C-alpha cells in the first residue's frame, strides 16, 4: 500500500513493538507529528520540556524495560539538544533510537534555517546513524536501526529524515520484527575449558561484575555462578542490582568510591573474574597496581574491551548470560571457606559509616529510610555527584533494572528526565530521583512534564547549597579554594515545586524523615523533598585520583 514517509515511519515503529515516544515538535518534523495525531491510539507521545529531557527519558525507559527507548526532535537546535542524551546512552550501552528531522534534500549543505549535520555530529557517539535520502529506503533503515541498537553490545542509533522524505509516498509492505540473536559464536569449548581451569585452580577468586550483566539479563546466572564457586562479588556503578546487595557474598562497589573490602579483595585476590565490565578508570585507578597478584578472566560481549585497559590472562567473547549458563553447567560447588571467612571479617572490620547515629540530617540516613519504607522495591534514578555515590552505597539494590544513573558520561541533569522514562516504562513501581541541588537546577523544567502526565515521581534533593562533589575535590586536593562551587541562591524548591503543580516538602530534621517520606509516597502526583544537609559532608570511602585502589581514605582522619 502507498503511504507517506511519516506514516511508514510510524508503521515500522509499531512493527518494532514501540508504543511510547518522548519528543518535542518543530518545523522539520511536522509531518511526523501530523501522523502521530492519527496514530495516537497506538503510539503515545510524551511531550517533554526540552529535547535533552526526551533523550534522557528514552534512556531511562530503556534501562528499566529492557526495550528500545525512542526520542524524536526537529532539525537544528532540536537535534543538537539530543546530543548529550545520546552520548549518555552510548557510554552506558543503552538501546535508544533517536529520530530527527532535517531540512528538505534540496536545502541540505546550504546552511539552511535550522540545518545541522546531525549524523556528522553524532557519529562518534552512536553505534550507527542514518540519513534517509530516498523514501523507498525508509522502512528498511528503521528496521535496521532497531536491530543495530539491540544486537550485541546495545547502544544508540540515530535516524535523520529530511522533511520532504516524510511527505513523499512509497509502497509500504509490513514485515515481522527481526529476531535479535544472542552472540554465542565465540563461546568455544576451548575458551570455556581455560576459564574453568583458572577457576578451579584459584583459592582467592573475586567476581567483578558490571552493566553487561544487566544488559544481558544475566542476574540469575551470576547469582548461581557466585554461589557455585563461592566467591565474593563486587559491582561497578553500572552493575548495581546485577547481584543482590543483601547477599552475604556481596562486598559493595569497587573503585574510587568502593568499599575497602572490595578494593582490598581486588588487591589480594589470585583470580579476578570480570563479567560484563570494562575496567574503567574510576574502577582501576592506577593500572599497574590493580589486582597485582591476580590472573584476569574477562567475559564480555564486546571484543574491543578485552585488553583495552587491563591485560587479561584469558577471555571469553559472548553474551554474558550464555557464557555463564555454559560455565554453570560445567562447574561444581566449592567451599573456599578460608577466603570467604577473610572477606566476611573485612566486611565487619570496614563497614560503610552509614548515618553513624548522629542527630543531624544525613543523606545516608535518608537513603536507608527510603530503602526501609519501600521494602527495597523502588526504582531509584540519580543525577550525578555525591548523592549518586551515596545512593549506590546505601540503598540496597537487589534486582536488575532498578538503578538508573549516568555512569560513563556522568551527566548532571540526567535523573529527572530518566525517572520520567522509568515511571512510564514501569507504571506500577514507585520511582525516586535522588538529586543534588546543582543537578536539579540543570533540568528541573522536566517537573512540568511529570506534572502534565501525573507521574508520581518523588524528587529527593540532597541540598547542600554547593556543587558537592567538586567542592569535595577542592577541599581535599585544592587547599579548600572553593572556586564557583558555592550555591547560596535564593531558590525556594518547595515553592518552585508548587508553581509547577507538584507537592513540595522541606526536610531539615532527622526525626521528620520517615513521616515526610511516607507523606510523599501517599501522594499520587509528583513530589519534591528538599533535604537541607550539611555542606561539608563528604563521600567516603575515596581513593585519591591516580592512587592504587587499596589506598582508601575512609574519612577525614585518614
Amino acid at each position: 500500500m502507498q503511504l507517506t514517509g511519516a506514516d511508514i515511519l510510524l508503521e515500522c515503529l509499531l512493527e518494532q513493538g514501540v508504543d511510547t515516544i518522548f519528543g518535542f515538535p518543530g518545523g522539520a518534523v511536522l509531518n511526523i507529528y501530523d501522523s502521530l495525531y492519527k496514530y495516537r491510539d497506538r503510539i503515545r507521545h510524551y511531550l517533554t520540556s526540552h529535547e535533552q529531557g526526551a533523550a534522557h527519558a528514552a534512556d531511562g525507559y530503556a534501562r528499566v524495560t529492557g526495550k528500545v527507548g525512542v526520542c524524536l526532535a526537529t532539525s537544528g537546535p532540536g537535534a543538537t539538544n539530543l546530543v548529550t542524551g545520546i552520548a549518555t546512552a552510548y557510554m552506558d550501552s543503552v538501546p535508544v533510537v533517536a529520530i530527527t528531522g532535517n531540512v528538505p534534500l534540496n536545502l541540505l549543505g546550504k546552511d539552511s534555517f535550522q540545518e545541522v549535520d546531525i549524523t556528522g555530529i553524532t557519529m562518534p557517539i552512536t553505534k550507527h546513524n542514518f540519513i534517509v535520502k530516498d523514501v523507498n529506503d525508509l522502512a528498511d533503515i528503521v528496521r535496521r536501526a532497531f536491530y543495530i541498537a539491540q544486537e550485541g553490545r546495545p547502544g544508540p542509533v540515530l535516524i535523520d529524515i529530511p522533511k520532504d522524505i516524510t511527505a513523499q509516498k512509497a509502497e509500504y509492505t509490513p514485515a515481522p520484527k527481526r529476531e535479535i540473536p544472542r552472540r554465542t559464536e565465540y563461546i568455544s569449548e576451548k575458551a570455556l575449558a581455560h576459564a574453568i581451569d583458572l577457576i578451579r585452580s584459584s583459592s582467592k577468586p573475586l567476581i567483578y561484575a558490571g552493566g553487561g550483566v544487566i544488559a544481558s539479563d544475566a542476574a540469575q546466572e551470576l547469582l548461581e555462578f557466585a554461589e557455585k564457586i563461592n566467591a565474593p562479588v563486587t559491582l561497578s556503578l553500572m552493575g548495581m542490582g546485577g547481584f543482590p546487595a543483601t547477599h552475604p557474598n556481596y562486598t559493595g562497589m569497587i573503585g574510587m568510591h568502593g568499599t575497602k573490602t572490595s578494593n582490598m579483595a581486588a588487591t589480594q585476590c589470585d583470580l579476578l573474574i570480570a563479567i560484563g565490565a570494562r575496567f574503567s578508570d574510576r574502577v582501576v585507578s592506577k593500572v599497574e597496581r590493580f589486582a597485582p597478584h591476580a590472573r584476569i578472566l574477562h567475559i564480555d560481549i564486546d571484543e574491543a574491551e578485552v585488553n583495552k585497559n587491563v591485560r587479561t590472562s584469558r577471555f571469553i567473547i559472548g553474551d554474558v548470560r550464555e557464557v555463564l549458563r555454559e560455565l554453570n553447567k560445567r562447574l561444581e560447588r566449592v567451599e573456599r571457606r578460608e577466603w570467604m571467612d577473610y572477606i566476611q571479617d573485612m566486611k565487619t572490620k570496614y563497614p560503610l559509616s552509614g548515618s553513624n547515629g548522629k542527630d543531624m540530617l544525613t543523606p545516608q540516613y535518608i537513603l536507608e529510610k527510603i530503602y526501609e519504607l519501600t521494602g527495597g522495591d523502588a526504582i531509584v534514578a540519580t543525577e550525578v555527584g555525591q548523592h549518586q555515590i551515596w545512593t549506590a552505597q546505601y540503598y540496597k539494590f537487589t534486582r536488575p533494572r532498578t538503578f538508573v544513573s549516568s555512569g560513563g558520561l556522568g551527566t548532571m541533569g540526567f535523573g529527572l528526565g530518566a525517572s520520567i522514562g522509568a515511571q512510564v516504562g514501569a507504571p506500577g513501581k514507585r520511582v525516586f530521583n535522588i538529586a543534588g541541588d546543582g543537578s536539579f537546577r540543570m533540568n528541573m523544567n522536566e517537573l512540568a512534564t511529570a506534572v502534565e502526565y501525573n507521574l508520581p515521581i518523588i524528587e529527593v534533593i540532597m541540598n547542600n547549597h554547593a556543587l558537592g562533589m567538586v567542592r569535595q575535590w577542592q577541599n581535599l586536593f585544592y587547599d579548600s579554594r572553593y572556586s564557583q562551587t558555592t550555591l547560596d541562591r535564593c531558590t525556594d524548591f518547595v515553592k518552585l515545586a508548587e508553581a509547577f503543580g507538584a507537592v513540595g516538602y522541606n526536610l531539615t530534621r532527622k526525626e521528620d524523615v520517615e513521616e515526610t517520606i511516607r507523606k510523599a509516597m501517599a501522594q499520587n502526583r509528583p513530589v519534591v523533598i528538599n533535604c537541607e544537609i550539611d555542606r561539608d559532608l563528604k563521600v567516603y570511602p575515596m581513593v585519591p585520583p591516580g592512587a592504587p585502589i587499596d589506598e582508601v581514605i575512609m574519612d577525614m582522619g585518614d
Side-chain angles (χ1 to χ4, degrees), residues 254-398:
I254 187 173
M256 177 174 279
H257 294 294
T259 63
K260 186 159 186 174
T261 302
S262 294
N263 288 1
M264 293 300 293
T267 304
Q268 296 175 20
C269 68
D270 63 7
L271 174 64
L272 183 73
I273 307 170
I275 305 175
R278 60 185 181 87
F279 294 100
S280 80
D281 57 300
R282 286 297 173 102
V283 167
V284 172
S285 194
K286 193 177 183 72
V287 176
E288 56 270 28
R289 292 274 298 276
F290 181 75
H293 309 297
R295 292 176 291 181
I296 294 177
L297 169 62
H298 195 177
I299 300 168
D300 203 274
I301 200 166
D302 187 356
E303 60 186 319
E305 292 297 341
V306 175
N307 294 320
K308 184 175 82 173
N309 296 330
V310 171
R311 296 295 300 177
T312 62
S313 301
R314 297 288 182 183
F315 58 86
I316 304 176
I317 302 300
D319 180 86
V320 165
R321 191 178 81 178
E322 298 306 310
V323 173
L324 289 178
R325 283 182 174 179
E326 293 303 318
L327 289 173
N328 287 338
K329 288 177 190 175
R330 294 162 172 79
L331 287 165
E332 62 283 341
R333 290 185 180 273
V334 293
E335 282 298 316
R336 293 195 175 89
R337 185 167 295 167
E338 184 178 346
W339 174 234
M340 290 307 298
D341 285 348
Y342 172 75
I343 293 295
Q344 295 305 324
D345 184 59
M346 289 275 286
K347 288 168 66 175
T348 301
K349 190 175 179 181
Y350 300 112
L352 290 170
S353 60
S355 52
N356 283 333
K358 298 175 182 176
D359 292 331
M360 67 186 295
L361 181 65
T362 64
Q364 294 93 329
Y365 183 78
I366 295 165
L367 288 160
E368 288 167 348
K369 274 295 174 186
I370 291 172
Y371 173 77
E372 177 189 323
L373 295 174
T374 60
D377 195 33
I379 292 170
V380 181
T382 78
E383 305 291 347
V384 170
Q386 288 178 313
H387 58 277
Q388 175 190 36
I389 304 302
W390 283 319
T391 302
Q393 291 174 333
Y394 291 97
Y395 187 96
K396 295 180 178 67
F397 293 94
T398 58

Side-chain angles (χ1 to χ4, degrees), residues 409-430:
L409 198 63
T411 305
M412 291 177 69
F414 166 80
L416 183 51
S419 65
I420 287 169
Q423 188 72 82
V424 170
K429 289 286 187 180
R430 173 61 73 184

Side-chain angles (χ1 to χ4, degrees), residues 531-545:
C531 307
E532 295 284 340
I533 64 170
D534 190 281
R535 180 176 287 163
D536 292 316
L537 289 174
K538 292 181 174 57
V539 171
Y540 292 115
M542 181 179 183
V543 176

